[in-house]
Amino acid sequence: MIDTVLHNTTLITMNPNGDIIENAVVGIQDGQIALIETKTPDAPLPTARETLDAGGGIVMPGLINTHTHLPMSLFRGLADDLPLMTWLNAHIFPAEARFVTPENVYLGALLSCAELLLSGTTTCCDGYFYEHHVAEAVHHAGLRAVLGQGVIDCPAPGIPDPSRNIAEASAFMDAWRNKSPRIQPSVFCHAPYTCSARTLKAARELARSTAALFQIHIAETRGEYDQMRSQHHMTPVAYLHSLGILDSQTLLVHAIWLDDADIALIAETGAAVSHTPESNMKLASGVARVEAMLQAGIPVGLGTDGCASNNNQDMFREMDTAAKLGKVFSLDPLAMNAQTVLKMATRDAARAIGLERWIGSIEPGKLADIVILDTHAPHLTPMYHPESHIVYAASGSDIRDVMIHGKWVVRNRHIVSLDMADILEKVRIECQQIQNWSNHQ
Amino acid sequence: MIDTVLHNTTLITMNPNGDIIENAVVGIQDGQIALIETKTPDAPLPTARETLDAGGGIVMPGLINTHTHLPMSLFRGLADDLPLMTWLNAHIFPAEARFVTPENVYLGALLSCAELLLSGTTTCCDGYFYEHHVAEAVHHAGLRAVLGQGVIDCPAPGIPDPSRNIAEASAFMDAWRNKSPRIQPSVFCHAPYTCSARTLKAARELARSTAALFQIHIAETRGEYDQMRSQHHMTPVAYLHSLGILDSQTLLVHAIWLDDADIALIAETGAAVSHTPESNMKLASGVARVEAMLQAGIPVGLGTDGCASNNNQDMFREMDTAAKLGKVFSLDPLAMNAQTVLKMATRDAARAIGLERWIGSIEPGKLADIVILDTHAPHLTPMYHPESHIVYAASGSDIRDVMIHGKWVVRNRHIVSLDMADILEKVRIECQQIQNWSNHQ
């Protein structure tokens, strides 16, 4: 007798062979994948406490979003279509200084968790301030996450004195190590242009001391690239390497402005990349050389970035954009095919954030982070190739059910784990304040 | 007593002032917008046969998709991630030769109509073969459309003898002129590399003789550009102009490979452009110079293209991509802002296809093509700027209700006008044949 059996489905395993199993049966026991079979017409289903008919839809691994700032959902659409520095200095930073409180971090993170869950994302890799409250929200919502307390050399929400930034990050890691099976603490260092070499090295050591993931924004804009070249006579990536930052538990976020030597360096050190095409497009930062990175063997995961710069956290849309942008950027329709992009949102993403042992595919022994995609809508009928549909035609709203760690968090398009009416009402009240403030800026 | 009153909404008018009216009341009478008011707390609503509470969501003009091949929904995802010529010659053309029958054209068009309606598109501009059957499907579904019978100088579905192509197009126009208030017949000439100068001129004259829209694929690939330069010593656009094709009732589809003189020529002749960013990206055709076209005063509408090369017909996603691609292509975050892109999917699109007198905005006297967007989902809460939400955060699945020509075609996310279960079942049966054929290719 196992816990749950799913049947009547096309199973996208994302295992190393890329197996797709028609008419599959998936068994879940104690939060893990226990069995995968093909249903034969006469054989009965395995006995289970719960048997769920996937309705002929797709069962696939939950998507993994490798770069989020969950609490920023409260600022979605507050300021768009602006030059990067105006957007940051005149809108986002002042709004953060005023409205990023522990309560709002918790509320905004809950709101983002709801968006992620409803659109089929089961794991995210996040960095922000008051990350303790992000962790509480993620834990409450039932999501899985790698969470990094932000480190930056200027006064930040919750850290008025920047000299306390490493201590705060350390306290966060201590508090969340082994606290929840779904939460891995991490360090999120903002960027080489906002952190001194000393801070970068200290943050790196902090992460390394507990074998935690070290996340950092890098090589996002041409301006940053030029600044690093002029200040340090090195590219941003070479600069990080010179400080001993890069290793196989380093996640380089954005990584747009890279030369060939940077790509070789990343590959050599085993560092991973979070590719955030929609944010890079919206902020006009540039187009990352993803094909070259993949060819060099770099693990590249997809990410949406915070929804002040996207403004959605739908990984299905991100996959579609990643594929299409890769093709037009290289003028090669063979670039970034559906299989490649789907891996970047599942298996490769898991590797990029250090969780490949546990998630990223549906294989016996892995944790049961599973989504069911309803394929009955007009825009998904007919279905010739499920991977093509997932990347080019489906969207987050096609997700019917979501299981994380063996537990249902979304059923029939409704979140089981959260009181959404209450959350949305609280968000509306709080954001009225933000709107009023913004109108008088 | 008027027919319908909508209230409790933020109204995006898309009128020339770009007015957005909070707490708006919209009255519809005889298929037209009859009144637009702001609701005052004490004033009663106008008396109407039907009063609909928009639930605090957004009321906006139905979206206009300026380039579709509706029947190709049957081929969605059949072949992806291939070089353009392999995709066309080894997959799409053989599949069309075998499976494009009158029955399948009707069925595929109905399927696309369902997708369009459910995602908030109320008008499309289509070109295909057996267009008479597309027109029947559009008429039945309740959509509005400009429809062009395809003209090409090779055997095509329904036209085994290409010398009949103009006669067939003419017969289609005769049959559908004044037949349905929602259908405008048009001529769809495939491309300058598939039609002789004589065919191009004859097709152009046919359209001109009844003041109908003339649609043509142009300057889609670098290869086409080079071919025209070598064959005719002219750019594709200059070649069309040399044949007398360009005027204010010409819709140039794709229009990617343009030089400055081409843009000036298009502007001077008053021709319009259909910008299809997602198809251009997926086929790796290139990035159109939209900002330059807009600056030159060219009417540019957005289009999805057929769903063999996209593979979705969601205009919300197309808007998002158009904005983001425009920004990253120019490395300018101010390029293609939300207002600009929303105009390209409504008001400017109507102008591009010659229907600006009737649709594209919610103004008294225009036809009542209206959609209601549900803004209560986590990914649309809070809402600071509705236009930002529409372009960067919403998707077609957020559409709750759709009215065309004063008549409801979608209510509470269900299509009123079609028996979807029956259509989807027929599609599945037919596409099983296509799948079997494809597996043996």
Side-chain angles (χ1 to χ4, degrees), chain A residues 73-84 111 114-115 118 222 257 278-287 309-314 316-317 320-321 323-328 330-339 375-385 388-389 391-395 397 415 420 424 427-428 430-432 434-435 438-439, chain B residues 73-84 111 114-115 118 222 257 278-287 309-314 316-317 320-321 323-328 330-339 375-385 388-389 391-395 397 415 420 424 427-428 430-432 434-435 438-439:
Chain A
S73 57
L74 298 190
F75 303 132
R76 182 187 344 243
L78 183 63
D80 296 306
D81 303 319
L82 294 167
L84 183 63
L111 181 67
E115 181 182 1
L118 288 169
R222 177 79 207 208
W257 295 89
E278 295 204 358
S279 171
N280 301 348
M281 292 169 82
K282 182 153 183 286
L283 296 175
S285 305
V287 180
S309 63
N310 185 331
N311 306 346
N312 67 75
Q313 300 179 97
D314 182 340
F316 285 90
R317 290 172 73 159
D320 188 22
T321 301
K324 287 171 175 166
L325 181 65
K327 291 173 194 299
V328 83
S330 59
L331 290 184
D332 177 6
L334 282 67
M336 300 286 279
N337 63 29
Q339 289 79 2
T375 54
H376 293 290
H379 68 278
L380 298 178
T381 309
M383 178 167 76
Y384 297 112
H385 299 290
S388 163
H389 261 25
V391 171
Y392 297 121
S395 78
S397 58
I415 298 185
M420 282 316 300
L424 293 178
V427 168
R428 270 182 221 109
E430 186 56 34
C431 292
Q432 189 57 57
I434 300 176
Q435 174 95 69
S438 174
N439 290 346
Chain B
S73 58
L74 298 189
F75 302 133
R76 183 191 340 246
L78 184 63
D80 295 306
D81 303 319
L82 295 167
L84 183 63
L111 181 65
E115 181 182 0
L118 287 168
R222 176 78 207 207
W257 294 90
E278 294 204 358
S279 171
N280 302 347
M281 292 169 82
K282 183 152 182 285
L283 297 174
S285 305
V287 179
S309 63
N310 185 327
N311 306 346
N312 67 75
Q313 300 180 97
D314 182 339
F316 285 90
R317 289 171 74 158
D320 187 23
T321 301
K324 287 171 175 166
L325 181 64
K327 291 173 195 299
V328 81
S330 59
L331 291 184
D332 177 6
L334 281 66
M336 301 286 279
N337 64 29
Q339 288 79 0
T375 53
H376 292 291
H379 66 280
L380 297 179
T381 308
M383 179 166 77
Y384 297 112
H385 299 292
S388 163
H389 261 25
V391 171
Y392 298 121
S395 78
S397 58
I415 297 186
M420 283 316 300
L424 293 178
V427 167
R428 271 182 219 109
E430 186 55 35
C431 292
Q432 189 57 56
I434 300 176
Q435 174 95 69
S438 174
N439 289 346

Side-chain angles (χ1 to χ4, degrees), chain B residues 72-270:
Chain B
M72 295 189 82
S73 58
L74 298 189
F75 302 133
R76 183 191 340 246
L78 184 63
D80 295 306
D81 303 319
L82 295 167
L84 183 63
M85 286 302 137
T86 309
W87 175 73
L88 271 177
N89 294 322
H91 297 270
I92 297 303
F93 287 161
E96 288 190 329
R98 174 134 187 171
F99 293 102
V100 176
T101 61
E103 295 74 23
N104 280 352
V105 163
Y106 180 74
L107 185 62
L110 272 187
L111 181 65
S112 281
C113 286
E115 181 182 0
L116 266 54
L117 292 175
L118 287 168
S119 56
T121 293
T122 53
T123 296
C124 72
C125 183
D126 189 79
Y128 207 60
F129 303 101
Y130 289 122
E131 194 71 9
H132 175 73
H133 301 274
V134 176
E136 293 285 1
V138 165
H139 182 71
H140 180 42
L143 205 73
R144 186 184 308 285
V146 175
L147 303 175
Q149 163 69 21
V151 171
I152 192 167
D153 280 340
C154 58
I159 319 170
D161 172 8
S163 75
R164 298 270 314 141
N165 55 20
I166 301 291
E168 290 288 341
S170 180
F172 170 75
M173 302 211 12
D174 289 343
W176 285 90
R177 197 171 303 125
N178 305 320
K179 187 164 173 185
S180 161
R182 290 184 278 98
I183 293 177
Q184 305 294 325
S186 152
V187 176
F188 164 57
C189 215
H190 182 262
Y193 60 91
T194 51
C195 295
S196 68
R198 186 178 155 182
T199 298
L200 289 167
K201 285 198 273 192
R204 189 67 197 85
E205 280 318 303
L206 174 63
R208 204 167 268 148
S209 67
T210 59
L213 188 73
F214 177 82
Q215 314 171 45
I216 187 164
H217 295 139
I218 188 79
E220 182 175 8
T221 64
R222 176 78 207 207
E224 175 193 342
Y225 185 86
D226 291 343
Q227 185 189 331
M228 290 289 132
R229 297 277 300 201
S230 115
Q231 271 183 12
H232 304 292
H233 311 289
M234 281 183 271
T235 65
V237 166
Y239 173 62
L240 287 191
H241 184 58
S242 76
L243 300 176
I245 302 280
L246 306 183
D247 67 16
S248 67
Q249 284 174 304
T250 303
L251 182 67
L252 302 172
V253 178
H254 303 307
I256 297 169
W257 294 90
L258 307 183
D259 63 22
D260 290 345
D262 292 333
I263 291 175
L265 204 50
I266 296 171
E268 196 183 299
T269 57

Side-chain angles (χ1 to χ4, degrees), chain A residues 418-426 428:
Chain A
L418 300 174
D419 177 350
M420 282 316 300
D422 179 59
I423 293 168
L424 293 178
E425 185 54 26
K426 283 180 177 147
R428 270 182 221 109

Side-chain angles (χ1 to χ4, degrees), chain A residues 75-310:
Chain A
F75 303 132
R76 182 187 344 243
L78 183 63
D80 296 306
D81 303 319
L82 294 167
L84 183 63
M85 287 303 136
T86 309
W87 175 73
L88 271 177
N89 294 324
H91 297 269
I92 298 302
F93 287 160
E96 288 191 329
R98 173 133 187 170
F99 292 103
V100 176
T101 61
E103 295 74 23
N104 280 352
V105 163
Y106 180 75
L107 184 62
L110 272 188
L111 181 67
S112 282
C113 286
E115 181 182 1
L116 266 56
L117 292 174
L118 288 169
S119 56
T121 293
T122 53
T123 297
C124 71
C125 183
D126 188 79
Y128 207 61
F129 302 101
Y130 290 122
E131 194 72 10
H132 176 72
H133 302 274
V134 175
E136 294 285 1
V138 164
H139 182 71
H140 180 42
L143 204 74
R144 187 183 307 286
V146 175
L147 302 175
Q149 163 70 21
V151 170
I152 192 168
D153 280 339
C154 58
I159 321 169
D161 171 9
S163 74
R164 296 272 315 142
N165 55 20
I166 301 292
E168 291 288 341
S170 180
F172 170 75
M173 302 209 18
D174 289 344
W176 284 91
R177 196 172 304 124
N178 305 319
K179 186 164 175 186
S180 161
R182 291 184 278 100
I183 292 177
Q184 305 294 325
S186 153
V187 176
F188 164 58
C189 216
H190 182 263
Y193 59 91
T194 50
C195 295
S196 69
R198 187 178 155 181
T199 298
L200 289 167
K201 285 198 273 193
R204 189 68 198 86
E205 280 318 303
L206 174 61
R208 204 166 268 149
S209 68
T210 59
L213 187 73
F214 178 82
Q215 314 170 45
I216 187 164
H217 294 139
I218 188 81
E220 182 175 8
T221 63
R222 177 79 207 208
E224 175 192 342
Y225 186 86
D226 291 343
Q227 183 189 335
M228 289 291 131
R229 298 278 299 203
S230 115
Q231 270 183 11
H232 305 291
H233 310 290
M234 282 183 272
T235 64
V237 166
Y239 174 62
L240 286 191
H241 185 58
S242 76
L243 300 177
I245 302 278
L246 305 183
D247 68 17
S248 65
Q249 285 175 303
T250 303
L251 181 66
L252 302 172
V253 178
H254 304 306
I256 297 169
W257 295 89
L258 307 183
D259 62 22
D260 290 346
D262 291 333
I263 291 175
L265 203 53
I266 296 171
E268 195 184 301
T269 57
V273 164
S274 172
H275 174 45
T276 57
E278 295 204 358
S279 171
N280 301 348
M281 292 169 82
K282 182 153 183 286
L283 296 175
S285 305
V287 180
R289 299 174 59 195
V290 181
E291 283 266 303
M293 292 193 244
L294 294 175
Q295 274 161 28
I298 297 169
V300 181
L302 274 186
T304 58
D305 206 347
C307 51
S309 63
N310 185 331

